Amino acid sequence: MDADEPGWLPPFTTLIRIGEANASGAHPTLLAFGPAEEGGSPRPVHQGAAFTDECLSVDDRSLCRDLFETGAPLPEAVRTVAGLLRDALDALGLLGPWIEEVRTCHQNGRQARTLFDIRPAALRELPWELVTHADGAESLCVSGDPGLTFTRIDRPTSLLGAENPPAALHLPLRVLVVVGETDPLIRADEEIERIRTRLGGPSGEWHVEVVRAPTSRALAETLREVAPHVLHVIGHQQRDAGDRGLLTIRPPGTEPWSITGDNVHAFLAGHRPRLVVLNACDTAGPAAGPLLAALLRGGAAAVVGMNGDIESGTACRFSAEFYTALGRGESVDRAVRTARLALLVDQVDGTDWALPVLAARVHPEVVLGRYAALRGKAEAEKRFTDRRWNLGHAVDRVRERRALFDGFAPTGPAAPVSAVVGEAASGKATLVRSALQIWYRNGARTVWSDLRPLGRTATWLDLVRTIVDQLGPAGPGLEPLQRFEHRLAQLHDGWTTDDNEPWLSLEPDRVWQETVPGNSVGHVADRRHTALRHLADALLGLGEDTGLVLALAGLGRLEHRAVADLIVPHLIEPLAVRPDGRAKVILALNEEEADLLPYPLRDTVRRIPLGAFAPGEITEVVGDYGRVRDVEADSVEQWKEFMAILVKRHTHLTPAMLQDGMTLFKEGRRVPR
């Protein structure tokens, strides 16, 4: 074994390895340390004694292996196993140096990490996370802050360090929840609500979708379409005739089927999630070994499972705390520790805290590592806050949001022009602005131009003004905008446009006055066409490096035929026809405004209709809306019952009905007949 293999370890990380057997049947061991500080040098590897049966007898191994086989173990049994594993590490000469390293990290206010690189299959499946450092002491995985995290490494660490880390992720981070069956005992709806709630709602950094009891084909298609970073499975694990674990899916009206270690690669062929969470019984114990290994070797960066049987309430609690931690930006291993501690607090004399297991093929810090250049959340929220469209009150239109993101490219949709179409108060502005906020955080330039606040008939120049105001003042960093202002100044004075220096500029009160030649649609076409095309050129230039998304609302306010004769042919279409352009257009339209679009754009625009909520979404939508509108926890069920009556009476649910229902509910009134 090459002692230099773990030299890649990051700071505050320790690796414990038990290697494959050598010619004499013994297993070489080592303890490797990451640098003592950021940017520090790797430290010498500590060679341990060879692992033999004297370190952990066959009978003791069976005791450790079978700890969770007969249901929840007693605390005494957990302590016994923790002591056996501690004694084994002590016999190898690894325990003392390891504990000293952990203490040093804690003294420096750092949370320590330990990676278990246990290569023999018979030893890899033991619950090493439970190890304690002394008789009667608590397991290190639930020790006090700053704490210690554990990760089982499922591949040679020489590969782990040599390969490039997974690419950093842009927003939104996507979660696909797969519910294996409709059995109410698994409390899937409660767990889903906790996941969605803890990840911050539809206007935030996460996009959560749910598929219930899918067929194998439906699951494969959904994985490909959603391309989730996190695949979360709720259900039951069973065992086949060979005592191997399998996840059973029971679609209504057809035969059940199972996800196994032998077939899971078929589902990962279309898309490989970074993290798989198997929140079901016995999904990390010995029987689950083939499935976990297949998930990791099939492309998942990490898998979270459970050592033994887990109650539905405990599973809900784990999900709530785990995703709360992920939502705060914690790494996967630290999120597991956070959830583990919550289980311990809930049941101090129980052993549910011993269930979670994290296995990975990469360092846990990079499993869901985010793009370093993301713009700040506070900055984005300030930019997109509006008293008329409170993104905090958004209700998640999951399918429409996915359609608007259109492939989840980081800086805009794939379609050149998209139209979100719906009646008044259907959530068009909220949906579009929430997507703009995500693209903005990913680094794109985003423009929200809304003519409705003008309260009057708008001119083409009003539209230009709102767009330029959103882009900010022209300056050295915005050369395309400087060029546009130069050309507009030339047009103002009746000159032929060029880009010859010195570039001209105009004071705002002169640029935007209503007497600019060609301002009214009633004038001869002359300069308006040219000015709009110059604006299109400026937008294409601004989006060349970062991408640009231009969102237009209130086009019905424009003068008669301005949309068909000016805005579409001279601004929107020049952006759409550039195959290499990175400027995209989104239109927020009511039905009457959609009819203003001329052909061929009316046929080619990517249309996203916002109508009544789908029947399968109503329960989640009502719960979401109650949460974002601060319905008290003890009143949530009353709110849901109130809206159920309203929905039954109208046979559907719209955003306007949600708003009206909330007003009636908070006033203590009954559903009107």
Side-chain angles (χ1 to χ4, degrees):
M1 178 169 52
D2 184 357
D4 294 328
E5 282 183 4
W8 59 272
L9 286 172
F12 322 115
T13 303
T14 305
L15 181 137
I16 296 174
R17 178 186 299 167
I18 301 177
E20 297 288 0
N22 56 27
S24 64
H27 301 269
T29 67
L30 64 75
L31 184 66
F33 308 103
E37 58 186 6
E38 297 288 351
S41 301
R43 290 180 286 166
V45 170
H46 176 87
Q47 297 289 344
F51 187 98
T52 65
D53 289 346
E54 295 180 0
C55 300
L56 191 65
S57 69
V58 174
D59 288 343
D60 287 343
R61 290 182 209 173
S62 296
L63 185 63
C64 295
R65 181 183 187 277
D66 297 338
L67 177 63
F68 298 94
E69 283 293 291
T70 57
L74 295 173
E76 293 78 7
V78 172
R79 284 193 288 270
T80 297
V81 167
L84 291 172
L85 296 173
R86 176 202 66 228
D87 292 344
L89 293 179
D90 195 23
L92 297 172
L94 304 180
L95 183 67
W98 175 44
I99 297 301
E100 185 59 33
E101 178 68 13
V102 172
R103 285 173 177 161
T104 300
C105 287
H106 289 180
Q107 288 169 0
N108 293 329
R110 299 284 188 170
Q111 191 173 76
R113 281 191 168 97
T114 293
L115 310 180
F116 285 116
D117 180 17
I118 312 297
R119 301 187 180 181
L123 299 177
R124 185 187 308 128
E125 59 194 21
L126 304 185
W128 293 96
E129 295 84 1
L130 305 184
V131 69
T132 182
H133 65 86
D135 284 332
E138 62 186 356
S139 291
L140 288 166
C141 64
V142 288
S143 60
D145 288 337
L148 173 63
T149 69
F150 291 93
T151 304
R152 300 182 187 183
I153 296 300
D154 191 70
R155 66 190 315 183
T157 47
S158 56
L159 294 178
L160 188 64
E163 291 186 348
N164 292 326
L169 300 176
H170 290 84
L171 303 179
L173 301 179
R174 301 184 292 280
V175 180
L176 177 64
V177 181
V178 178
V179 182
E181 55 187 277
T182 57
D183 183 356
L185 293 178
I186 65 175
R187 296 167 62 177
D189 288 341
E190 180 181 345
E191 186 169 344
I192 291 166
E193 184 173 1
R194 292 194 182 193
I195 293 171
R196 291 161 58 88
T197 300
R198 300 308 176 95
L199 290 180
S203 64
E205 303 175 352
W206 296 79
H207 176 85
V208 181
E209 296 207 25
V210 180
V211 58
R212 298 175 185 273
T215 63
S216 57
R217 175 176 294 181
L219 178 57
E221 290 175 352
T222 306
L223 277 169
R224 185 171 58 253
E225 292 170 1
V226 178
H229 302 115
V230 182
L231 175 64
H232 183 102
V233 181
I234 302 171
H236 293 301
Q237 170 150 293
Q238 299 175 321
R239 299 191 184 187
D240 62 14
D243 204 35
R244 296 179 302 176
L246 47 86
L247 288 165
T248 302
I249 310 294
R250 302 182 186 278
T254 186
E255 290 295 316
W257 61 281
S258 299
I259 301 174
T260 70
D262 293 331
N263 67 16
V264 71
H265 67 279
F267 301 101
L268 300 184
H271 173 74
R272 296 180 175 88
R274 292 288 186 88
L275 172 64
V276 178
V277 181
L278 304 177
N279 203 12
C281 296
D282 196 25
T283 48
L291 178 57
L292 261 65
L295 285 167
L296 291 167
R297 291 165 192 174
V303 180
V304 175
M306 299 295 159
N307 264 320
D309 292 346
I310 183 168
E311 296 289 337
S312 296
T314 303
C316 290
R317 174 68 163 155
F318 176 84
S319 287
E321 298 306 321
F322 178 72
Y323 286 102
T324 296
L326 289 184
R328 288 195 299 260
E330 292 186 14
S331 58
V332 173
D333 58 334
R334 288 173 178 162
V336 169
R337 169 180 157 78
T338 297
R340 190 192 301 278
L341 289 173
L343 299 184
L344 175 62
V345 170
D346 284 354
Q347 196 180 35
V348 176
D349 296 326
T351 56
D352 288 343
W353 59 268
L355 292 172
V357 170
L358 171 63
R361 64 178 182 85
V362 300
H363 192 276
E365 189 73 48
V366 301
V367 172
L368 294 177
R370 303 185 187 186
Y371 182 56
L374 289 177
R375 291 189 174 111
K377 183 177 181 179
E379 174 193 352
E381 288 180 345
K382 181 178 179 181
R383 178 181 175 87
F384 290 94
T385 294
D386 190 291
R387 60 182 177 82
R388 292 165 296 164
W389 304 289
N390 187 340
L391 297 185
H393 291 175
V395 173
D396 204 354
R397 286 185 172 271
V398 174
R399 291 175 179 79
E400 292 86 349
R401 193 171 191 241
R402 188 210 305 173
L404 184 56
F405 278 118
D406 190 18
F408 292 102
T411 57
V417 184
S418 304
V420 179
V421 182
E423 62 184 20
S426 61
K428 300 184 297 294
T430 302
L431 178 64
V432 173
R433 287 167 69 87
S434 69
L436 289 176
Q437 176 176 276
I438 294 299
W439 289 319
Y440 175 78
R441 289 199 61 194
N442 286 337
R445 296 187 189 278
T446 57
V447 178
W448 170 256
S449 172
D450 189 356
L451 297 175
R452 289 173 294 179
L454 291 177
R456 57 171 171 80
T457 300
T459 69
W460 70 275
L461 199 51
D462 288 320
L463 180 64
V464 171
R465 176 171 53 191
T466 63
I467 293 172
V468 174
D469 284 348
Q470 281 276 305
L471 290 170
L478 294 175
E479 183 176 307
L481 201 55
Q482 286 183 297
R483 185 182 297 113
F484 171 67
E485 185 176 319
H486 169 74
R487 292 172 175 177
L488 195 62
Q490 291 175 317
L491 286 170
H492 179 278
D493 293 332
W495 300 350
T496 302
T497 60
D498 60 48
D499 292 334
N500 297 329
E501 296 185 359
W503 283 0
L504 304 177
S505 63
L506 291 175
E507 295 300 323
D509 60 347
R510 188 179 174 200
V511 172
W512 306 127
Q513 57 186 307
E514 294 298 315
T515 57
V516 173
N519 177 46
S520 172
V521 178
H523 287 247
V524 178
D526 52 25
R527 301 164 188 165
R528 295 166 297 159
H529 301 172
T530 306
L532 287 169
R533 287 181 177 273
H534 287 329
L535 177 58
D537 288 343
L539 295 174
L540 286 166
L542 290 169
E544 188 173 11
D545 294 329
T546 64
L548 182 143
V549 184
L550 170 63
L552 305 177
L555 294 184
R557 290 277 186 180
L558 285 166
E559 295 172 305
H560 178 61
R561 294 202 57 78
V563 173
D565 293 347
L566 285 176
I567 306 306
V568 169
H570 301 295
L571 177 61
I572 295 176
E573 287 182 345
L575 296 175
V577 299
R578 281 279 298 271
D580 58 337
R582 294 187 62 195
K584 310 294 183 179
V585 180
I586 297 175
L587 308 175
L589 308 170
N590 58 36
E591 292 291 350
E592 292 76 16
E593 290 170 334
D595 290 339
L596 297 176
L597 298 180
Y599 295 99
L601 181 64
R602 189 184 300 188
D603 286 339
T604 59
V605 65
R606 191 167 191 271
R607 188 181 177 107
I608 303 168
L610 293 187
F613 294 104
E617 298 174 345
I618 289 177
T619 300
E620 293 174 1
V621 165
V622 170
D624 274 353
Y625 196 69
R627 173 179 54 80
V628 300
R629 295 305 300 266
D630 299 321
V631 172
E632 297 292 338
D634 56 0
S635 300
V636 169
E637 291 306 316
Q638 296 176 12
W639 157 247
K640 291 181 178 179
E641 292 171 3
F642 181 90
M643 288 304 299
I645 297 172
L646 191 64
V647 170
K648 184 177 181 180
R649 184 159 295 171
H650 292 273
T651 70
H652 65 279
L653 177 67
T654 66
M657 289 169 60
L658 276 174
Q659 296 176 23
D660 294 342
M662 181 59 69
T663 300
L664 294 173
F665 180 76
K666 289 194 171 183
E667 291 176 354
R669 295 160 62 185
R670 294 183 177 182
V671 176
R673 293 186 179 276

